[in-house]
Amino acid sequence: MTALVTGGTRGIGHAVVEELAGFGARVHTCSRDETELNRCLQDWMQKGFQVTGSVSDVSSREGREKLMDSVCAVFGAKLNILINNVGTNIRKATVEYTAEEFSTIMATNVESSYHLCQLAHPLLKSSGMGSIVFISSVGGVVALSNMAVYGASKGAINQMTKNLACEWAKDNIRSNSVAPWIIVEVEQLSSPSSAE
């Protein structure tokens, strides 16, 4: 199996990379931070995992196209799994959001996932059995304080998941979303300041 996991150097993305690679999948991931990406790639290589990576900013259209060019080259134009993991949030009262902040959240959380699905479709279809997993949020299902725009973006992801599941079933591509609660890095839990 081959898999693309966006934002695979931290949090949920990092855990998904390790889980898939642990099952023997060949994984490609991306990060905006080259140093962080190289550190993770070195660690995965020492663990015997088959993981490659690209420095990419998937919040931009050009970054997504560049990433998919890399994936196509690495996996020979076939992809089994796409994990749309990249996301962002700005917590504030609804009346305080600027137009730029609204656009940033929607572009990063919704537009990037949508465009990556479009770009990945031919690769997923040619694999004969493709799977898309969106990392959504409980914020896309229930109302949370100071998270109206984030919640709307994750709600859109949940609806996109349903639509793609129906539309792309004929191409043997499954579409699912996972809606976790807040994720805290292990390092944060073990730091002295978080022990209070």
Side-chain angles (χ1 to χ4, degrees):
M1 290 287 191
T2 58
L4 168 60
V5 180
T6 61
T9 58
R10 296 187 204 170
I12 292 172
H14 187 274
V16 171
V17 168
E18 294 213 338
E19 189 74 8
L20 289 170
F23 281 123
R26 292 172 42 216
V27 181
H28 191 85
T29 191
C30 64
S31 174
R32 291 176 297 179
D33 185 329
E34 185 173 12
T35 302
E36 185 174 79
L37 177 63
N38 288 335
R39 180 182 49 76
C40 288
L41 289 172
Q42 182 68 32
D43 181 51
W44 291 323
M45 185 177 72
Q46 290 173 354
K47 292 178 178 178
F49 294 156
Q50 298 180 72
V51 182
T52 55
S54 304
V55 176
S56 301
D57 181 358
V58 298
S59 67
S60 78
R61 189 167 193 84
E62 298 76 24
R64 294 187 293 268
E65 290 169 349
K66 179 182 161 190
L67 173 62
M68 290 309 296
D69 286 343
S70 296
V71 168
C72 197
V74 169
F75 294 146
K78 288 189 180 177
L79 181 66
N80 296 104
I81 303 166
L82 168 61
I83 309 289
N84 277 310
N85 172 63
V86 168
T88 192
N89 188 16
I90 301 168
R91 291 189 72 152
K92 54 172 49 178
T94 301
V95 296
E96 295 175 4
Y97 281 99
T98 65
E100 292 77 20
E101 290 168 336
F102 181 91
S103 293
T104 295
I105 292 171
M106 288 300 180
T108 304
N109 295 358
V110 182
E111 184 182 349
S112 70
S113 293
Y114 177 78
H115 188 216
L116 282 167
C117 287
Q118 286 183 313
L119 294 171
H121 179 266
L123 283 70
L124 291 163
K125 184 177 179 179
S126 70
S127 76
M129 79 178 164
S131 180
I132 301 169
V133 178
F134 295 91
I135 305 301
S136 179
S137 168
V138 70
V141 181
V142 299
L144 298 172
S145 178
N146 295 325
M147 293 178 63
V149 179
Y150 177 79
S153 73
K154 294 301 186 172
I157 285 172
N158 294 338
Q159 188 60 41
M160 188 186 330
T161 301
K162 295 174 189 176
N163 283 54
L164 291 184
C166 294
E167 184 179 339
W168 290 356
K170 69 183 183 323
D171 299 325
N172 292 319
I173 301 171
R174 292 177 299 140
S175 178
N176 292 284
S177 69
V178 179
W181 185 243
I182 295 172
I183 305 299
V184 179
E185 297 282 342
V186 174
E187 293 83 22
Q188 291 175 331
L189 291 175
S190 60
S191 69
S193 62
S194 66
E196 302 169 288

